[in-house]
Amino acid sequence: MPVKLASQSLKPKTDLSLLVTSADIKKQQSEQSALRYLNGYRPDVVEKIRQLVDANALAAHFLTRYPKIHDVRTDKALYDMAMTLKNTYMRQSDPLAKVIFDEKISVSHHALGLHSYVNRRQGNKVKAKNEIRIAAHLKHVPFELLQMVVVHELAHLREKEHNKAFYQLCSFMLADYHQLEFDMRVWLVAEEVGQSPYAK
């Protein structure tokens, strides 16, 4: 009977390349948490995005649909864009006092834009003014996605809740609203897993 050498007895029985490391686990957890943006979508749709993430191909896939970012850089340009949409589709709705990019809004707040009523005192009267704030990091997305967020916030001038009437109004202003909302969620996934399609 042959004698086992010490080096033979220490040789692992499994292929070390198949072992999962803590770095692998952290990467997997990050990718799974990023996919939370797609909760509610069909499993086969989510799986397609998961496969693109795993193949490190999400940025390239996104760029085939949206090759460049918009050129709306100032609050005035953003306000003009919002007012064009409002005057075209919601002329009878409440006036809009301000539309600005806001550095304080981040994805961690679960918001890309905020619609608010601000009370301003003018003499003895208090007037409520509508304001829209758009997350500043949306300066680096395609025009269609920025437009989708602006439409979403404009719809809140008329519909406060995310109900059927709200989404009908969004689709009235932007026919492919639901596709654009999905694409925005895919962009959020790409940003979170480190596969941003647009270098800042």
Side-chain angles (χ1 to χ4, degrees):
M1 182 170 154
V3 178
K4 281 189 177 179
L5 299 173
S7 61
Q8 288 177 323
S9 62
L10 293 175
K11 189 173 181 182
K13 294 179 180 177
T14 57
D15 183 354
L16 288 178
S17 67
L18 299 176
L19 293 177
V20 177
T21 66
S22 61
D24 293 330
I25 292 170
K26 283 182 184 174
K27 182 175 183 283
Q28 188 178 30
Q29 287 172 339
S30 169
E31 289 168 3
Q32 287 173 347
S33 67
L35 290 172
R36 74 186 182 280
Y37 294 116
L38 304 179
N39 287 348
Y41 288 94
R42 290 192 337 254
D44 60 309
V45 172
V46 177
E47 183 56 29
K48 182 180 177 185
I49 302 302
R50 185 194 310 279
Q51 289 171 3
L52 288 167
V53 169
D54 291 344
N56 201 28
L58 189 54
H61 170 77
F62 202 84
L63 285 168
T64 60
R65 188 168 173 86
Y66 302 104
K68 60 182 183 175
I69 62 173
H70 65 78
D71 59 0
V72 180
R73 292 285 170 264
T74 65
D75 290 342
K76 181 179 184 328
L78 183 64
Y79 178 82
D80 290 345
M81 173 189 165
M83 288 306 295
T84 298
L85 285 164
K86 181 183 179 302
N87 290 336
T88 302
Y89 298 105
M90 298 177 59
R91 189 178 293 276
Q92 301 301 318
S93 62
D94 295 337
L96 193 53
K98 185 189 286 187
V99 183
I100 61 169
F101 285 111
D102 192 334
E103 297 283 347
K104 295 175 187 169
I105 300 175
S106 69
V107 176
S108 61
H109 292 106
H110 305 289
L112 296 172
L114 296 172
H115 168 252
S116 59
Y117 303 97
V118 179
N119 290 323
R120 302 227 190 271
R121 182 172 292 281
Q122 294 178 342
N124 294 333
K125 296 180 181 177
V126 176
K127 286 192 174 181
K129 294 193 175 181
N130 291 290
E131 295 184 357
I132 290 176
R133 296 172 183 272
I134 303 296
H137 62 270
L138 295 186
K139 287 181 179 180
H140 304 283
V141 298
F143 178 79
E144 296 89 340
L145 300 189
L146 175 65
Q147 189 178 39
M148 185 277 297
V149 175
V150 171
V151 161
H152 183 102
E153 298 309 324
L154 279 172
H156 280 306
L157 290 173
R158 191 171 294 166
E159 297 292 336
K160 307 311 176 206
E161 303 297 323
H162 293 141
N163 53 27
K164 186 177 180 181
F166 174 85
Y167 287 108
Q168 284 176 338
L169 180 55
C170 288
S171 295
F172 171 68
M173 288 191 278
L174 204 54
D176 54 351
Y177 174 85
H178 293 290
Q179 178 64 52
L180 291 169
E181 182 180 16
F182 173 76
D183 291 343
M184 174 61 84
R185 291 171 181 275
V186 172
W187 175 79
L188 289 168
V189 172
E191 290 287 304
E192 193 153 316
V193 300
Q195 296 184 36
S196 175
Y198 312 107
K200 294 183 180 80

